[in-house]
Amino acid sequence: QVQLVESGGGLVQPGGSLRLSCAASGRVFNFYTMGWYRQAPGKQRELVARITGGGITNYADSVKGRFTISRDNAKMTVYLQMNSLKSEDTAVYYCQYSGGSGYWGQGTQVTVSS
């Protein structure tokens, strides 16, 4: 079994920054890809960014140049640094671990509003 615990969400003004963290525990291996997805009200869940065990990253076009994903394999933790936040970034952000059948965190709310 795998547990994913996210933290770092909240309310921020446009142009501000937030850093999300996701700690994985249980039967986890650092060679699996981990990622961040988001779901805004009335929309489908979409990929934000993901990172392989070796550190290869890819991003949604909408966040390129503003968001940075990273991971600490020793801590089995993945991070999402979000800068220059926009109102359209408002969503529930979910951490995902690709091992086994795939696992999801419980989600953390990010609200960008003045």
Side-chain angles (χ1 to χ4, degrees):
Q1 192 69 322
V2 173
Q3 296 81 41
L4 301 173
V5 179
E6 299 131 332
S7 61
L11 172 64
V12 64
Q13 293 186 343
S17 298
L18 282 175
R19 188 192 195 209
L20 306 183
S21 299
C22 172
S25 62
R27 188 169 172 79
V28 293
F29 301 93
N30 60 20
F31 49 78
Y32 282 109
T33 294
M34 295 184 71
W36 289 96
Y37 291 72
R38 67 187 181 188
Q39 188 166 17
K43 295 187 176 181
Q44 290 188 331
R45 191 173 297 189
E46 63 176 3
L47 171 70
V48 176
R50 57 189 171 197
I51 183 168
T52 68
I56 297 172
T57 59
N58 70 292
Y59 296 88
D61 287 343
S62 59
V63 307
K64 283 181 181 177
R66 301 189 297 122
F67 291 11
T68 302
I69 190 170
S70 60
R71 66 189 288 167
D72 183 332
N73 282 338
K75 296 180 179 180
M76 281 306 298
T77 299
V78 63
Y79 306 95
L80 186 68
Q81 177 66 43
M82 304 185 293
N83 298 328
S84 302
L85 282 160
K86 305 175 181 179
S87 58
E88 51 262 45
D89 295 317
T90 295
V92 178
Y93 284 69
Y94 297 91
C95 175
Q96 198 257 358
Y97 170 79
S98 65
S101 58
Y103 296 87
W104 294 89
Q106 80 283 358
T108 185
Q109 177 70 46
V110 172
T111 302
V112 184
S113 175
S114 54

